[in-house]
Amino acid sequence: MNYLRAFFLSKELTPRALIVTEEAVSFNPANYTAWYYRRLIRNEVGGWDEELEIIQDFVSENAKNYQVWFHYRCVIEALNDPTDCLNFIAEMLEKDAKNYHAWTIRQWALKFFGLWDNELEYVDKLLNLDVRNNSAWNQRFFVIESTTGYTNEVLKAEIIYTQEKLKRGSNNTSAWNYLRGLAKVSSYNELPEIEEFCVEKLESTWGITCGQLYVTLIDIYTKSGDHEKLATAIEYCEKLQSGLDDIHKKYWIYRKTTLEKLIA
C-alpha cells in the first residue's frame, strides 16, 4: 500500500505503476483508489482490451464487489464496444440470478448502447427457468418501461402473460407483485381483467391456499372505495391474519383496523 500511495501521489502513469495497482487490487478488490488510478494509467498508456480480460477475471472471482463491477463498466465505456458485455453478464447471472451489481450494469449497458432487441426474450428464458426470480420480473418491467412503454395493448398482454406464469405457482409473490404493479401504471378500473381473474380463482383451490390472491383483492377493494367491497376486504384481512399469512399477522391486523375506519 505504501508503494501505491507513493506512485499515486507522484502521478506516475506508467506500465510499472500499472503493476503496482494490480498487486493492490489483488490484495483488496474493493480498493477504489487503486481502480481509479488504474483507469488514469490506461488512459495514458492504453491497453483497454487487456484491461477487459483482467477485470472479467476479477468480476468472476468477486461477483458481489461493487468496485470491480464499476471498473468493468468503465472499461466497457472506454472501449465503446459492448459486443460481449451482455453475454458476460448473463454468464455471471447463471451463477447468481439475483446479483444486484450484475443487473445494475446490465441495465446501464442496455440504455447506454441501446441493446434492447433481445432482452425480453432473455428475461422470458430466465422466468421459464425460475418463475419466482424477482430480479427477472423487475427486469421485465424495466425493459418494457424503457422501450414500448405500458400502452393499453401492452398492459393487456402483460396481464395474460403474468396470469399464465401464476398457473405454475399460485403463491408466486414475485408474479403477484408484477401484476399489482401493472395496476399502478394504470388502475384497477382500467384493468378489470385483474379483478375478474382473482374472483374466478377464489372458486378454485387458490381460495384455500393462495394468500397472495387475497392480498391482491384487498388492494383492489381498498382502492374501489365501495363500502361493500371494503367490508369484504376486512374479511380477507382476517383470513390472512388467521393462517394464510401468519408471518405478517400484525400487519393485517393493522390493515383491518384501517379499513374499519373507512366504513365506520
Side-chain angles (χ1 to χ4, degrees):
M1 287 300 296
N2 289 334
Y3 278 119
L4 176 67
R5 190 175 296 109
F7 273 84
F8 182 72
L9 291 175
S10 70
K11 300 181 180 179
E12 180 175 328
L13 305 176
T14 64
R16 71 170 187 164
L18 201 63
I19 293 172
V20 172
T21 63
E22 189 163 355
E23 291 178 355
V25 294
S26 295
F27 177 74
N28 177 15
N31 188 328
Y32 168 80
T33 301
W35 288 116
Y36 170 70
Y37 186 23
R38 194 169 179 83
R39 292 193 290 274
L40 294 179
I41 299 169
R42 285 298 186 192
N43 284 333
E44 183 67 24
V45 305
W48 285 106
D49 287 321
E50 178 189 13
E51 190 68 14
L52 179 59
E53 293 180 10
I54 291 171
I55 190 56
Q56 285 179 333
D57 287 340
F58 269 93
V59 170
S60 296
E61 295 297 322
N62 304 273
K64 295 295 183 72
N65 187 309
Y66 168 77
Q67 296 301 340
V68 297
W69 276 106
F70 181 73
H71 188 71
Y72 173 78
R73 167 181 164 169
C74 292
V75 173
I76 296 296
E77 195 168 354
L79 287 168
N80 195 32
D81 180 6
T83 303
D84 294 319
C85 179
L86 294 186
N87 287 335
F88 174 73
I89 296 173
E91 289 175 8
M92 299 307 300
L93 289 172
E94 283 181 13
K95 299 175 183 177
D96 179 3
K98 301 178 183 180
N99 186 318
Y100 174 79
H101 300 311
W103 281 114
T104 299
I105 300 302
R106 190 176 185 89
Q107 290 185 354
W108 164 79
L110 290 168
K111 293 189 75 171
F112 192 83
F113 294 105
L115 305 173
W116 302 106
D117 288 351
N118 301 310
E119 190 64 10
L120 269 185
E121 287 84 351
Y122 172 68
V123 170
D124 193 42
K125 173 186 172 184
L126 292 181
L127 289 174
N128 284 331
L129 289 171
D130 177 10
V131 75
R132 299 178 185 275
N133 185 338
N134 190 59
S135 297
W137 283 106
N138 178 69
Q139 184 75 350
R140 188 173 187 86
F141 192 94
F142 169 77
V143 173
I144 293 174
E145 190 176 46
S146 301
T147 53
T148 61
Y150 278 97
T151 64
N152 189 59
E153 182 180 357
V154 170
L155 283 167
K156 303 291 185 182
E158 285 303 291
I159 288 172
I160 294 171
Y161 177 88
T162 309
Q163 289 172 348
E164 288 301 311
K165 295 299 183 189
L166 280 168
K167 290 177 182 177
R168 292 174 52 187
S170 62
N171 259 320
N172 182 349
T173 303
S174 298
W176 281 108
N177 283 339
Y178 185 79
L179 189 65
R180 291 191 289 266
L182 296 176
K184 289 183 179 179
V185 172
S186 179
S187 71
Y188 287 117
N189 287 335
E190 296 294 325
L191 302 172
E193 300 95 325
I194 298 178
E195 182 176 356
E196 290 167 7
F197 172 75
C198 292
V199 171
E200 176 190 336
K201 290 301 179 183
L202 277 177
E203 302 303 317
S204 70
T205 56
W206 291 27
I208 301 171
T209 62
C210 184
Q212 286 296 317
L213 175 61
Y214 291 101
V215 171
T216 304
L217 283 170
I218 289 169
D219 195 37
I220 295 170
Y221 293 166
T222 300
K223 289 179 172 62
S224 74
D226 180 88
H227 273 224
E228 185 176 336
K229 289 186 174 182
L230 288 171
T232 303
I234 290 171
E235 292 178 18
Y236 292 167
C237 285
E238 292 172 350
K239 277 183 175 291
L240 289 166
Q241 75 187 49
S242 300
L244 274 179
D245 191 12
D246 282 337
I247 294 176
H248 303 106
K249 180 176 181 177
K250 291 184 179 180
Y251 171 74
W252 294 116
I253 291 173
Y254 163 75
R255 284 294 301 273
K256 177 188 173 185
T257 302
T258 304
L259 289 169
E260 286 173 337
K261 291 178 181 178
L262 293 176
I263 59 175

